[in-house]
């Protein structure tokens, strides 16, 4: 039973997330202490790209600021969400996250802190006058020290939709380049291989956790998600040369 003042938020696959007034309550992830320290660090710099961590509530759930706007959770999205301008703005936000964490204790010995789950479903868009643009990333549960290319490759996979639903490989490759240029990614040689690494890790991870009895992962597997990601992995392998050529 959900108390009257708790509004369930849909769009996520994994967690029971509710809204209470201007806050979001969600079960803390396995590495909550790290994530909370990260969110505090980003808040101290006044960065608008992440919600604020407000402490835990009486049920042990983390409290975050509710970020008003449009979460791009559905398959079909308004043109402004999928536009090159919004892609560029996503890449710029990722660059800001990386610059704010490079060389900090949070990044430890890695280049930066990566969000590790950047996708339209985890992005709040808002009308800035010129149409919907990304303003804030949510769902920071698996943020961790990592390499810049990890987040950039995940963005290319998720926001361009690299997989069998692409009907124009040249256009997909162009959009990958838009992301890399807006981010200012220096070393692009590993980009496509990193997309492949994410896709393989994702479908194998769902299958393994489901086989281990994780109910959320079993639901994803039974809903065909692991198979879809596996197909995306095959697609990227098949089009690897074209994508790499476009990156130059
Ligand atoms: N801080 C927030 N502000 C606004 N909406 C949020 C916020 N956090 C989560 N949501 C909403 O709740 C949904 C699920 O939350 P999310 O943190 O992505 O959990 P999951 O791990 O289940 O994907 C999101 O798709 C979004 O619609
Ligand atoms: Mg989510």
């Amino acid at each position: 039973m959900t108390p009257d003042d708790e509004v369930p938020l849909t769009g996520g696959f994994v967690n029971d997330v509710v809204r209470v007034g201007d806050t979001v309550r969600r079960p803390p992830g396995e590495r909550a202490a790290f994530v909370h320290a990260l969110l505090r660090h980003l808040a101290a710099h006044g960065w608008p790209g992440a919600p604020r961590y407000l402490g835990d509530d009486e049920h042990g759930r983390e409290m975050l600021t509710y970020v008003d706007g449009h979460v791009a959770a559905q398959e079909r999205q308004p043109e402004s969400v999928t536009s090159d301008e919004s892609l560029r703005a996503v890449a710029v936000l990722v660059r800001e996250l990386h610059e704010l964490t490079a060389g900090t204790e949070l990044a430890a010995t890695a280049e930066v802190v990566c969000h590790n789950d950047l996708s339209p479903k985890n992005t709040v868009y808002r009308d800035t006058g010129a149409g919907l643009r990304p303003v804030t990333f949510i769902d920071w549960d698996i943020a961790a020290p990592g390499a810049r290319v990890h987040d950039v490759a995940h963005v290319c996979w998720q926001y361009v939709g690299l997989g069998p639903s692409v009907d124009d490989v040249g256009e997909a490759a162009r959009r990958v380049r838009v992301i890399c240029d807006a981010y200012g990614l220096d070393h692009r040689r590993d980009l496509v291989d990193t997309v492949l690494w994410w896709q393989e890790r994702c479908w194998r991870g769902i299958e393994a956790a489901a086989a281990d009895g994780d109910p959320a992962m079993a639901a994803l597997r039974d809903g065909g998600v692991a198979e879809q990601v596996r197909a995306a992995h095959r697609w990227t392998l098949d089009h690897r040369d074209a994508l790499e050529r476009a990156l130059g």
Side-chain angles (χ1 to χ4, degrees):
M1 261 257 308
T2 304
D4 288 347
D5 59 344
E6 298 202 353
V7 183
L9 292 170
T10 54
F13 283 122
V14 180
N15 286 300
D16 284 328
V17 183
V18 298
R19 177 178 179 179
V20 182
D22 289 338
T23 71
V24 166
R25 315 288 174 100
R26 61 201 300 293
E30 276 171 31
R31 295 173 42 266
F34 175 85
V35 173
H36 296 163
L38 171 64
L39 294 180
R40 284 203 185 96
H41 172 78
L42 298 173
H45 287 271
W47 190 54
R52 304 285 176 249
Y53 170 61
L54 304 169
D56 292 340
D57 73 3
E58 64 278 18
H59 305 293
R61 298 177 299 190
E62 60 185 19
M63 292 191 289
L64 304 166
T65 49
Y66 177 80
V67 182
D68 211 9
H70 168 80
V71 177
Q74 309 301 323
E75 193 80 33
R76 292 187 62 81
Q77 287 296 321
E79 198 273 333
S80 58
V81 166
T82 56
S83 65
D84 282 3
E85 288 73 20
S86 278
L87 268 191
R88 283 191 199 96
V90 165
V92 167
L93 276 172
V94 177
R95 181 73 193 225
E96 289 170 359
L97 165 68
H98 290 173
E99 294 311 312
L100 285 170
T101 55
T104 64
E105 271 180 33
L106 290 161
T109 57
E111 257 184 320
V112 294
V113 174
C114 288
H115 178 289
N116 284 327
D117 198 11
L118 294 170
S119 74
K121 289 184 190 61
N122 286 333
T123 306
V124 182
Y125 292 78
R126 208 175 294 139
D127 198 337
T128 55
L132 291 167
R133 296 287 177 261
V135 287
T136 302
F137 298 129
I138 55 175
D139 205 349
W140 290 77
D141 277 353
I142 59 172
R148 292 171 183 272
V149 70
H150 289 176
D151 269 344
V152 179
H154 205 280
V155 164
C156 292
W157 170 22
Q158 291 289 317
Y159 294 75
V160 177
L162 299 178
S165 62
V166 166
D167 47 35
D168 180 346
V169 184
E171 170 63 4
R174 186 192 66 77
R175 284 166 64 76
V176 165
R177 204 169 57 235
V178 164
I179 291 167
C180 293
D181 288 348
Y183 177 91
L185 188 70
D186 288 334
H187 303 291
R188 303 185 180 190
R189 230 189 23 227
D190 298 336
L191 186 91
V192 179
D193 280 345
T194 309
V195 172
L196 286 163
W197 173 80
W198 273 123
Q199 290 172 330
E200 177 156 29
R201 204 167 187 265
C202 179
W203 76 257
R204 284 190 190 278
I206 294 169
E207 293 281 2
D212 246 22
D214 180 325
M217 293 300 134
L220 287 184
R221 179 196 57 196
D222 299 343
V225 175
E227 193 40 59
Q228 269 170 31
V229 178
R230 193 173 183 172
H233 179 254
R234 277 191 221 104
W235 182 93
T236 309
L237 261 184
D238 288 346
H239 298 89
R240 186 189 206 159
D241 290 349
L243 292 169
E244 284 186 339
R245 261 198 314 277
L247 280 171

